[in-house]
Amino acid sequence: MALSKLPARADSAALSRLASSVPTDETREEIPVEAPYSGINIQTIPASTSADVSAAVERAREAQPAWADRPVSERAEAVLRFHDLVLDERRELLDVAQLESGKARIDAFEEILDVATTARHYAHRADEYLEPERRKGAFPVLTDTRVYRHPVGVVGVISPWNYPLTLSVTDALPALLAGNAVVVKPAEETPFSALLLRDLLREAGVPNDSFQVVTGRGSEAGAALVEESDFVCFTGGTETGRKVAEQAGANLTDCSLELGGKNPMVVLPDADIGKAVSGAIQGCFTNAGQLCIAFERLYVHESIYDEFLDRLVRRTRGLDLSPGYDFGPDVGSLIGSDQLETVESHVEDALSKGADVLTGGRARPDLGPYFFEPTVLTGVSDEMELAREETFGPVVAVESFDSVADAIELANDSEYGLNASVWTEDGDRGRKVARQIECGTVNINDAYAAAWASVDAPMGGMKDSGLGRRHGREGFEKYTEAQTVAEQRAGSVTAPPEGVPDGWYAKAMLVSLRAMKRLPGVR
């Protein structure tokens, strides 16, 4: 579809305005931004330097105390206004997200749902999360102990290209509500979604310098943001995540990292095959497989393997792979040439070593430069790149198993541990299996949305899939410093009162300790 047919908010002039709003000290090198559907450069963004990032962080640091001084209720009201604006401006947000990422509109709409859900949740819970908390004191009645939470300062968010709406702002919202300022460095492939969201936050009442977007390459702008921030939130590949963690650690800067995945789906013999196949379609091919929590490994019990595989292949062949800025297509484009090269390389390597393609397996340049068919493989073995490396495309390997113990072992046989799924009609059995899978989230009878959309519960990775958590109380408190304030109302905790011999004091303390062991209220 021609760029000229897009709504005005996504046309060249509108994108140019957004690009020119990125603050730089002087004219910078321009980075072209490509539309994956066509391969055409739609606009350029400035390649912010480390000096530009430092200036943005300094502005944020100056603005942060005034933002933190506002009542939590005022900050929450701004985020709730942002919630409404996201819904009101959804068409423009969807157009821009599709334009720069190449995803199907239904996948972009999932981001709208996620942003609104996260905004609503944290806006309504921020006051609770920041309420001073009474803890048990050193001695009952005599010691009053409370925990206060303070903002860390400036939070740096480095977001990837695969979910440019969700990952540019949903990690920032709890940080803002906690009283921090935020500087976001979006992927250079998808900067305009972040810039649009910045404008909506400002319209909602967040001060300009309290939420900023800097554009540029990760090697310079991203590294500078890690260096300057008081907390770093990074979503991306494991290799880059290690570098971020190393740089942050050298500065004793705390960070959270959601990294790669090679996610398994386990289908037990009592599963509803139709529902499991639908779950596999969603879990494998949403966003053309460019989803950190997508499945690349399917393990199906041998008693239902043939029927499951037959249905999966038929459903996969029926998917609508095509470009389009309206609802309708099921699967969109890959993001660019590097991603297409990785997907093609993994499939070709698997085929050369004996794997079978049951459907798909080809690039589709007739649809656009980076389209690749949804692909189902069998016969994948450990010596193939596809077996262990993250493909991050619409490709899945299917294998049978004969016992639940084998399925769990297969699911855990990976360096990654981000997301998994278990399919069974027995909820107790499903939970038992889920608890044995080494992943930060496990869904029962759902691909990924059940756990992801449960924003009151933490989400993140085990093993090489990351550190820290987003969502829930954990995803809020990581942006705060905990401070304990203890008031001793009488006497001293560790020293005898004046005039009392040390020996008498020691005996009295021993009696008190033995008594407190038997009192449930002071344990």
Side-chain angles (χ1 to χ4, degrees):
M1 182 174 291
L3 183 61
S4 61
K5 294 184 180 180
L6 290 173
R9 193 84 181 255
D11 68 14
S12 183
L15 297 180
S16 178
R17 179 192 64 79
L18 288 170
S20 65
S21 71
V22 178
T24 57
D25 288 341
E26 55 188 55
T27 302
R28 300 298 187 199
E29 176 194 352
E30 297 293 321
I31 301 173
V33 179
E34 186 180 32
Y37 280 174
S38 64
I40 295 172
N41 291 338
I42 54 174
Q43 192 48 258
T44 61
I45 54 169
S48 298
T49 65
S50 57
D52 296 324
V53 174
S54 294
V57 172
E58 182 59 31
R59 291 192 299 272
R61 203 174 299 285
E62 292 175 359
Q64 184 268 327
W67 173 246
D69 283 345
R70 293 193 187 187
V72 182
S73 60
E74 285 190 18
R75 300 199 295 266
E77 286 170 4
V79 170
L80 289 174
R81 286 193 294 270
F82 171 73
H83 166 282
D84 293 343
L85 287 168
V86 166
L87 298 182
D88 292 344
E89 303 297 330
R90 63 191 180 281
R91 292 179 182 84
E92 290 77 13
L93 290 167
L94 290 172
D95 290 334
V96 171
Q98 280 194 277
L99 179 65
E100 61 183 3
S101 74
K103 62 175 60 188
R105 198 167 187 84
I106 188 63
D107 296 334
F109 184 71
E110 194 173 77
E111 296 195 64
I112 298 291
L113 298 178
D114 183 57
V115 172
T117 298
T118 304
R120 184 192 69 243
H121 172 79
Y122 280 117
H124 288 311
R125 300 296 291 275
D127 188 62
E128 172 192 338
Y129 292 154
L130 290 173
E131 184 71 21
E133 182 182 358
R134 294 195 68 164
R135 298 288 183 93
K136 294 185 184 301
F139 282 94
V141 181
L142 300 182
T143 311
D144 179 276
T145 302
R146 307 184 187 212
V147 176
Y148 298 86
R149 292 199 167 270
H150 304 283
V152 296
V154 177
V155 172
V157 175
I158 301 175
S159 62
W161 46 260
N162 59 327
Y163 278 76
L165 296 173
T166 283
L167 296 175
S168 292
V169 78
T170 56
D171 287 310
L173 292 174
L176 286 167
L177 285 162
N180 299 285
V182 177
V183 179
V184 177
K185 206 297 287 182
E188 50 264 44
E189 295 89 346
T190 55
F192 294 110
S193 295
L195 290 166
L196 270 180
L197 291 166
R198 178 207 62 187
D199 287 357
L200 294 183
L201 280 168
R202 290 176 175 179
E203 187 176 344
V206 176
N208 288 5
D209 289 340
S210 295
F211 183 90
Q212 299 177 63
V213 174
V214 293
T215 59
R217 298 184 176 88
S219 57
E220 181 163 6
L225 189 56
V226 175
E227 189 70 23
E228 298 282 350
S229 299
D230 301 311
F231 186 99
V232 177
C233 179
F234 172 83
T235 305
T238 297
E239 182 180 352
T240 305
R242 292 185 189 279
K243 296 176 182 177
V244 171
E246 182 178 3
Q247 184 184 357
N251 293 334
L252 297 181
T253 301
D254 202 359
C255 63
S256 64
L257 314 169
E258 189 203 289
L259 307 178
K262 192 72 179 176
N263 305 304
M265 173 175 163
V266 175
V267 186
L268 300 180
D270 66 333
D272 182 307
I273 296 177
K275 292 178 181 177
V277 168
S278 294
I281 293 293
Q282 180 190 25
C284 299
F285 304 129
T286 290
N287 200 29
Q290 299 168 119
L291 172 61
C292 295
I293 50 181
F295 304 131
E296 298 189 2
R297 301 181 289 142
L298 263 60
Y299 302 112
V300 184
H301 191 266
E302 59 187 9
S303 66
I304 59 172
Y305 177 79
D306 289 340
E307 182 179 355
F308 177 93
L309 191 59
D310 179 65
R311 291 199 198 183
L312 177 66
V313 169
R314 284 191 282 113
R315 286 283 304 277
T316 301
R317 285 176 180 159
L319 292 173
D320 180 1
L321 173 71
S322 60
Y325 292 100
D326 296 316
F327 289 107
D330 298 308
V331 183
S333 174
L334 297 173
I335 186 68
S337 58
D338 288 348
Q339 202 60 37
L340 177 62
E341 182 180 345
T342 297
V343 174
E344 287 185 311
S345 171
H346 280 196
V347 172
E348 289 168 4
D349 174 74
L351 293 180
S352 71
K353 295 174 180 175
D356 296 311
V357 172
L358 303 189
T359 187
R362 300 178 303 157
R364 293 293 301 276
D366 55 311
L367 300 175
Y370 312 123
F371 280 82
F372 194 90
E373 293 176 334
T375 301
V376 178
L377 296 170
T378 58
V380 172
S381 53
D382 276 351
E383 69 271 15
M384 302 173 187
E385 294 175 347
L386 188 76
R388 296 196 171 274
E389 296 180 19
E390 185 178 31
T391 303
F392 219 60
V395 179
V396 63
V398 189
E399 181 179 343
S400 66
F401 66 87
D402 60 6
S403 73
V404 174
D406 287 341
I408 294 169
E409 183 178 352
L410 288 166
N412 290 336
D413 186 19
S414 173
E415 297 175 351
Y416 297 105
L418 189 56
N419 181 56
S421 180
V422 178
W423 293 78
T424 174
E425 291 295 279
D426 184 337
D428 290 338
R429 186 186 197 189
R431 284 185 289 274
K432 182 178 179 180
V433 172
R435 291 196 301 270
Q436 297 176 74
I437 295 178
E438 297 164 353
C439 288
T441 54
V442 183
N443 300 263
I444 299 173
N445 295 332
D446 192 77
Y448 58 83
W452 177 272
S454 297
V455 292
D456 192 36
M459 183 271 166
M462 298 180 180
K463 299 190 281 190
D464 284 358
S465 288
L467 301 170
R469 294 292 184 266
R470 58 163 53 99
H471 293 173
R473 181 180 287 272
E474 293 85 346
F476 187 95
E477 290 185 347
K478 69 184 181 183
Y479 298 124
T480 66
E481 294 280 10
Q483 178 190 44
T484 297
V485 177
E487 176 190 0
Q488 189 63 21
R489 292 168 171 164
S492 171
V493 175
T494 59
E498 186 175 353
V500 175
D502 291 353
W504 290 8
Y505 165 77
K507 289 179 181 179
M509 290 299 293
L510 288 172
V511 170
S512 297
L513 290 172
R514 294 185 190 280
M516 285 191 289
K517 177 185 174 183
R518 295 191 292 270
L519 296 174
V522 295
R523 289 177 183 172

